[in-house]
Amino acid sequence: MEDLNYLLKNEQIELLKEQASSCTVARATHRSRASVYARRIREHGHPYRSGAVKGGTAFAPYPFGGEGRAS
């Protein structure tokens, strides 16, 4: 079984890269990769995401202090 923390971290990284990308092709690539991680998280043996959240907003890093600044 895959490590859930690994999947969550990498999904968030791909979403951050999508938001920071200026190229539409790069944004689409990162969005696609994030959706693969999201699917693997949903299928994980230890559910993380509540069914009540379906249809909600995906991880949005900017309101939480990730203003797109490079580290």
Side-chain angles (χ1 to χ4, degrees):
M1 182 177 297
E2 295 178 290
D3 181 24
L4 184 58
N5 289 325
Y6 168 83
L7 297 174
L8 292 167
K9 174 186 160 199
N10 283 308
E11 181 197 23
Q12 292 175 5
I13 288 170
E14 291 300 331
L15 291 170
L16 286 169
K17 287 180 179 180
E18 175 194 359
Q19 290 182 351
S21 296
S22 58
C23 173
T24 57
V25 174
R27 276 196 307 271
T29 301
H30 292 300
R31 187 179 320 115
S32 174
R33 288 180 184 168
S35 68
V36 169
Y37 283 115
R39 178 183 48 78
R40 290 164 61 185
I41 291 166
R42 281 191 307 273
E43 294 171 354
H44 196 272
H46 300 288
Y48 169 73
R49 301 205 168 138
S50 166
V53 180
K54 287 185 181 175
T57 305
F59 175 74
Y62 293 142
F64 302 105
E67 285 81 21
R69 288 182 247 145
S71 356

